[in-house]
Amino acid sequence: MGIILANGKFVDQNGQLVQKDMLIEGERIAKIADVIPDAGHTRFDLQGKLVSAGFFDVHVHFREPGFEAKETIATGAAAAVRGGFTTVACMPNTRPPIDTAEAVRFVKQKAEEAGLARVYPYGTITVRQLGKELTDFAALKEAGVFAVTDDGVGVQSSAMMKKAMQAAAELGLSVVAHCEDDDLLVPGAALHDGVVAKRHGLAGIPSESESIHVGRDILLAEQTGVHYHVCHISAKESVRLVRDGKRAGINVTTEVMPHHLLLCDEDIPETLDANWKMNPPLRSKEDREALLAGLKDGTIDIIATDHAPHTAEEKAKGLERAPFGIVGLETAFPLLYTHLVLTGELTLQELLSKMTEKPAEIFNLPYGRLQEGAIADITVIDLEKEQAIDPLTFASKGKNTPFAGWICKGWPVKTFVAGKLVYEQTDQATMTSK
Ligand SMILES: NC(=O)N[C@@H](CC(=O)O)C(=O)O
Ligand SMILES: [Zn+2]
Ligand SMILES: [Zn+2]
């Protein structure tokens, strides 16, 4: 017996919303047609809600092993499916870091036990993320990683990065980089080196601490032929470098986060609440505009969240001492739909593509497409439902978001992974979790 999603709205090739039925049989989409008869299948009447391929977030932090008070793989996966994400890729900056095949298998095992979203672990580039010695990429690949990264820290040595890219290219692994040159940092700096840091008399994080690595690595990617992906792009100079790299035919891709698209340093409240502290920081208005332009012209390939949960105690330590990072999985789509699609900056088709098809395509994974025969990873979204972001309702352990209280439309209401319903929004869930 299959599942029928009846009367859903689908975005067609021309970007128009069309009403259709979908039949899921086993793990796959069996049929999409104007009308599919019941024939004893389980039937959900979607009443015109949007049907999308499940979202794919290539950049999340699930904190296990080592920091389970912030998040576990199970709570992170629950946050993912609640946000409409059916596949996530987990950053390896855990304790210990994911730098061996055994550690990769541990993450996969925990994800399987959770049975919610698909979880792809990254392996680190260097042993213990110390930048001194490459990990065993062949063993990591064998255990199931599709890409390596030292996210959380930058690879400081150019020679080490070049060696990593050569080794990754040989194995067909992507190199994913947190771009940050420690030499250009002032210890304790928490905000962009711009007007707001100055107004508060604080040392800032300069844009070039990011863009210098972006430029260096694009040149190394050209030399080595590896697929090189820039994490959480935030500075206008980095956007320009990626654009030029693409024009030169270099295999470079990048991601942008919802917070960098929607906020800039001038939005940070005078209290300097640490829920506005993340790395890279919220930059200037001009940077934000460059990110949006880069997203529209295809320089920026995809949207990811950098879901980075921390405890309330840690975030209460004040701007300087609190850790960098904000959560993102449960707010990404409603925020972007409300503040970029409904405002006319992006089309719904563009937004969905950058959260589904494109991430799957650049990392060569078989997801992100709504078509007969495809894997039935599906998100159903209520585009009309309007509600305020309330961190107390999050499935994530992390409540650290600057978006609390923002009123958004476009909430995921049902999520299917491999044809199995893994999340269903109920009004009770919203009301009782207070
Ligand atoms: N982005 C962040 O502000 N923090 C991330 C690390 C990272 O993505 O660099 C974290 O692990 O908390
Ligand atoms: Zn990072
Ligand atoms: Zn990160």
Side-chain angles (χ1 to χ4, degrees):
M1 276 310 95
I3 298 171
I4 294 179
L5 302 183
N7 306 313
K9 288 261 166 64
F10 292 70
V11 179
D12 74 5
Q13 277 159 347
N14 306 317
Q16 302 302 312
L17 284 176
V18 291
Q19 188 151 317
K20 299 225 179 254
D21 289 356
M22 173 188 274
L23 172 64
I24 301 169
E25 280 183 327
E27 298 194 349
R28 303 221 165 232
I29 298 171
K31 195 168 181 185
I32 301 174
D34 288 346
V35 179
I36 300 177
D38 270 18
H41 300 300
T42 306
R43 188 180 174 88
F44 294 102
D45 184 355
L46 300 185
Q47 299 180 321
K49 295 190 180 67
L50 179 72
V51 180
S52 167
F55 305 148
F56 178 5
D57 188 346
V58 307
H59 192 145
V60 303
H61 296 267
F62 282 178
R63 310 302 192 196
E64 196 177 353
F67 302 105
E68 290 82 357
K70 297 176 196 269
E71 193 83 293
T72 64
I73 291 163
T75 58
V81 295
R82 187 166 180 272
F85 290 88
T86 52
T87 305
V88 296
C90 268
M91 286 302 174
N93 61 337
T94 49
R95 188 176 59 206
I98 309 305
D99 62 1
T100 62
E102 191 192 348
V104 172
R105 286 193 289 267
F106 169 84
V107 175
K108 286 174 56 173
Q109 176 64 33
K110 287 282 171 189
E112 198 145 304
E113 287 166 19
L116 297 167
R118 298 175 193 276
V119 175
Y120 281 85
Y122 285 101
T124 65
I125 294 174
T126 65
V127 175
R128 292 294 185 263
Q129 297 192 279
L130 294 173
K132 301 289 180 220
E133 188 191 337
L134 288 190
T135 55
D136 183 344
F137 288 3
L140 292 173
K141 182 177 179 182
E142 168 83 26
V145 315
F146 66 91
V148 288
T149 180
D150 270 358
D151 186 50
V153 290
V155 174
Q156 299 306 308
S157 152
S158 309
M160 184 61 62
M161 191 51 137
K162 184 172 177 185
K163 255 180 30 188
M165 286 188 181
Q166 282 164 337
E170 267 175 38
L171 292 162
L173 290 169
S174 301
V175 170
V176 172
H178 169 112
C179 290
E180 186 170 30
D181 188 324
D182 293 350
D183 251 3
L184 293 170
L185 296 178
V186 177
L191 303 180
H192 172 59
D193 188 13
V195 288
V196 177
K198 268 197 199 80
R199 186 166 5 107
H200 288 274
L202 296 170
I205 301 171
S207 292
E208 61 273 20
S209 64
E210 170 181 289
S211 51
I212 203 162
H213 268 204
V214 175
R216 176 197 78 176
D217 292 355
I218 288 173
L219 293 169
L220 294 174
E222 180 176 25
Q223 283 299 312
T224 58
V226 79
H227 167 223
Y228 170 65
H229 180 79
V230 178
C231 286
H232 42 50
I233 194 165
S234 72
K236 58 183 186 300
E237 296 81 3
S238 305
V239 177
R240 188 178 72 215
L241 285 161
V242 172
R243 185 178 290 119
D244 289 350
K246 282 190 153 139
R247 277 193 192 134
I250 300 164
N251 191 3
V252 53
T253 57
T254 188
E255 67 195 25
V256 65
M257 280 47 196
H259 46 278
H260 291 124
L261 287 170
L262 299 181
L263 303 171
C264 67
D265 61 349
E266 292 179 65
D267 297 315
I268 298 171
E270 287 296 309
T271 55
L272 302 183
D273 176 352
N275 283 331
W276 295 71
K277 174 177 178 178
M278 76 293 285
N279 196 13
L282 299 172
R283 297 205 187 269
S284 72
K285 253 192 213 142
E286 296 74 51
D287 290 298
R288 190 181 88 88
E289 279 158 16
L291 293 172
L292 203 49
L295 189 65
K296 284 197 241 184
D297 74 13
T299 300
I300 299 177
D301 304 82
I302 63 173
I303 294 166
T305 70
D306 201 3
H307 178 80
H310 295 291
T311 65
E313 294 70 43
E314 291 168 303
K315 278 297 194 183
K317 287 180 178 171
L319 188 73
E320 205 168 304
R321 293 182 50 229
F324 287 96
I326 64 168
V327 291
L329 284 167
E330 292 169 83
T331 55
F333 185 83
L335 280 169
L336 296 172
Y337 177 68
T338 306
H339 296 281
L340 293 183
V341 175
L342 291 181
T343 55
E345 299 271 13
L346 275 189
T347 66
L348 178 59
Q349 188 178 28
E350 287 170 324
L351 174 59
L352 291 175
S353 162
K354 286 177 186 286
M355 295 178 72
T356 60
E357 201 177 330
K358 281 279 165 190
E361 185 186 304
I362 65 180
F363 289 108
N364 206 12
L365 290 165
Y367 310 117
R369 280 171 194 278
L370 269 192
Q371 59 196 26
E372 292 175 3
I375 292 168
D377 288 2
I378 291 157
T379 298
V380 179
I381 298 157
D382 188 344
L383 292 178
E384 297 305 321
K385 181 190 169 88
E386 185 170 61
Q387 96 191 358
I389 291 174
D390 177 1
L392 293 176
T393 66
F394 289 171
S396 171
K397 288 191 183 186
K399 315 297 178 195
N400 46 311
T401 173
F403 294 110
W406 283 44
I407 294 165
C408 298
K409 281 189 169 182
W411 293 87
V413 292
K414 278 186 179 50
T415 307
F416 296 85
V417 173
K420 192 174 136 217
L421 183 65
V422 290
Y423 168 72
E424 189 165 25
Q425 195 272 333
T426 54
D427 284 333
Q428 273 101 326
T430 318
M431 281 154 52
T432 53
S433 48
K434 291 246 163 86

